[in-house]
Amino acid sequence: MKSARSPVAVWRGRDLLDGRVVESTTVILRTRGCRWNRCVMCGYAQEGVDASVEDIIAQFTSVLKKAEGAELVKIYTSGSFLDPAEVPEPARLEILRSLRDMDVRRLVIESRPEYIDRNALEQILGFMDVEIGIGLESSSDLVRLHLINKGFTFSDFAKAADLIHSLGGRVKTYLLLKPPGLSEREAIVDAMRSARDAEPYSDIISLNLCNVQRNTPLERMWQRGSYRPPWLWSAVEVLRESSLGVPMICDPVGAGAKRGPHNCGICDGCVADAIRSFSLNQSRSCLNVDCTCRSVWRKVLELEDLSFGTPLV
């Protein structure tokens, strides 16, 4: 049974902070979840409970020790930290005070554009340096609105990013590699184009590799054989070939699993590690990995569009 007093997860890690690799703590608070809750690939709202202000504060207090010494703290909610229905203002303020008192250098949160307003931004930026993640997924309104069902436009994203920057905040833009409905080649092209389009509005870009979460429309597509998660080689291609003026990072969650991004099963671990290494130091030399299955991936790029969208491998 899900407890309103226990967070979904908390872990320590390492992240890039202004060009340095630093200790970080990631916390996923258990809230009511995303109010939109219509994106075809997302099952995070299933973790939600009707958590009160006191519940949310108790969740955060229970993990404070794991945040000690971390320069970067990421607080996610499976939705929007700035949505007052998910994280009411008293809980938000208590969290911000605690982090300020711990001398955390930067807080990373996530929000949909509709909750990013001047009042909320001035409040949180009055406490500390904050980076706000926005799940743009693709710069194409066609892909975002009709294949992902994200519910906002590129213009909405740009206006929110401009407001954040005007008040001294930072923007982390999430892009999705291989939304449903795109072939492997189309997904690579879409991700690279989206990175270029998002760059002027972003301080950092995070390439998220699509995985198949349970009880989602994407899972039903996958079960019918009409969707395959992206090849790890596709992520390597996007990271290697995207020449940007801001860092581009990637954490291949679920790499090697059937529901996650994967190659042949033999090289998945080393390729995922190469992607993580690149994310920390931004050196393309980290991506100099190879496997015999790379030729299969190249053939997929060549032929898959001819199969009317049906995954070949």
Side-chain angles (χ1 to χ4, degrees), residues 167-182:
L167 296 174
R170 293 171 53 87
V171 176
K172 181 178 188 178
T173 302
Y174 295 107
L175 300 179
L176 183 68
L177 180 61
K178 204 175 181 187
L182 297 185

Side-chain angles (χ1 to χ4, degrees), residues 184 188 230-238 240 262-264 267 271 275 287 289-295 297:
E184 200 77 20
I188 293 170
W231 287 70
L232 290 166
W233 293 126
S234 297
V236 170
E237 182 78 2
V238 174
R240 190 199 300 276
H262 61 276
N263 290 339
C264 64
C267 68
V271 177
I275 290 171
L287 301 174
V289 288
D290 207 354
C291 178
T292 55
C293 73
R294 194 162 189 168
S295 61
W297 166 75

Side-chain angles (χ1 to χ4, degrees), residues 227-292:
Y227 181 80
R228 182 206 192 274
W231 287 70
L232 290 166
W233 293 126
S234 297
V236 170
E237 182 78 2
V238 174
L239 295 171
R240 190 199 300 276
E241 300 302 324
S242 296
S243 182
L244 304 175
V246 299
M248 190 173 192
I249 61 174
C250 178
D251 181 11
V253 175
K258 288 183 179 180
R259 288 175 174 263
H262 61 276
N263 290 339
C264 64
I266 297 173
C267 68
D268 294 347
C270 70
V271 177
D273 286 344
I275 290 171
R276 295 186 185 102
S277 295
F278 169 84
S279 298
L280 288 177
N281 58 44
Q282 298 294 289
S283 172
R284 285 181 173 80
S285 64
C286 295
L287 301 174
N288 292 335
V289 288
D290 207 354
C291 178
T292 55

Side-chain angles (χ1 to χ4, degrees), residues 1-312:
M1 184 176 178
K2 300 169 186 174
S3 170
R5 294 266 165 148
S6 299
V8 176
V10 56
W11 66 88
R12 289 290 289 239
R14 295 190 304 159
D15 277 272
L16 200 61
L17 174 64
D18 298 334
R20 297 184 301 114
V21 178
V22 301
E23 289 288 314
S24 66
T25 298
T26 301
V27 182
I28 303 179
L29 296 175
R30 199 182 300 277
T31 64
R32 63 180 293 174
C34 179
R35 264 200 273 179
W36 175 253
N37 192 26
R38 300 174 202 171
C39 299
V40 299
M41 73 290 181
C42 184
Y44 290 135
Q46 297 170 46
E47 298 288 346
V49 296
D50 190 16
S52 67
V53 169
E54 293 74 20
D55 291 332
I56 293 171
I57 292 173
Q59 289 180 45
F60 183 72
T61 302
S62 73
V63 301
L64 277 177
K65 285 193 175 297
K66 287 202 173 182
E68 290 179 356
E71 293 188 50
L72 182 72
V73 172
K74 297 182 281 187
I75 299 181
Y76 303 144
T77 66
S78 302
S80 297
F81 187 81
L82 297 182
D83 178 1
E86 272 196 77
V87 184
E89 184 174 331
R92 188 191 310 159
L93 289 173
E94 183 61 31
I95 290 170
L96 291 167
R97 289 190 194 102
S98 297
L99 294 174
R100 180 189 59 191
D101 293 344
M102 294 172 65
D103 294 325
V104 171
R105 285 203 55 192
R106 181 173 296 154
L107 169 65
V108 180
I109 60 172
E110 297 175 342
S111 181
R112 287 176 58 87
E114 58 260 41
Y115 307 118
I116 298 174
D117 60 45
R118 181 174 293 273
N119 290 337
L121 290 175
E122 288 179 342
Q123 182 187 78
I124 64 173
L125 290 169
F127 281 88
M128 63 180 61
D129 180 15
V130 178
E131 186 171 271
I132 300 176
I134 304 176
L136 176 64
E137 318 303 3
S138 170
S139 64
S140 165
D141 284 346
L142 176 64
V143 171
R144 189 181 336 92
L145 294 173
H146 298 287
L147 298 184
I148 300 175
N149 196 23
K150 195 74 182 185
F152 63 82
T153 65
F154 186 83
S155 176
D156 295 330
F157 158 78
K159 289 175 183 175
D162 284 343
L163 180 60
I164 293 167
H165 283 143
S166 73
L167 296 174
R170 293 171 53 87
V171 176
K172 181 178 188 178
T173 302
Y174 295 107
L175 300 179
L176 183 68
L177 180 61
K178 204 175 181 187
L182 297 185
S183 68
E184 200 77 20
R185 182 188 60 80
E186 290 170 334
I188 293 170
V189 171
D190 178 71
M192 294 180 68
R193 180 185 59 242
S194 297
R196 290 193 300 271
D197 293 342
E199 180 184 2
Y201 303 97
S202 310
D203 296 284
I204 188 168
I205 293 175
S206 178
L207 182 68
N208 291 351
L209 312 187
C210 195
N211 59 76
V212 181
Q213 298 177 14
R214 297 188 184 281
N215 301 317
T216 60
L218 183 62
E219 183 185 48
R220 293 189 284 277
M221 297 178 202
W222 175 71
Q223 289 171 335
R224 293 196 304 265
S226 58
Y227 181 80
R228 182 206 192 274
W231 287 70
L232 290 166
W233 293 126
S234 297
V236 170
E237 182 78 2
V238 174
L239 295 171
R240 190 199 300 276
E241 300 302 324
S242 296
S243 182
L244 304 175
V246 299
M248 190 173 192
I249 61 174
C250 178
D251 181 11
V253 175
K258 288 183 179 180
R259 288 175 174 263
H262 61 276
N263 290 339
C264 64
I266 297 173
C267 68
D268 294 347
C270 70
V271 177
D273 286 344
I275 290 171
R276 295 186 185 102
S277 295
F278 169 84
S279 298
L280 288 177
N281 58 44
Q282 298 294 289
S283 172
R284 285 181 173 80
S285 64
C286 295
L287 301 174
N288 292 335
V289 288
D290 207 354
C291 178
T292 55
C293 73
R294 194 162 189 168
S295 61
V296 178
W297 166 75
R298 291 194 185 98
K299 186 59 69 174
V300 167
L301 298 186
E302 179 185 339
L303 297 178
E304 193 173 66
D305 288 341
L306 302 178
S307 67
F308 300 99
T310 302
L312 295 178

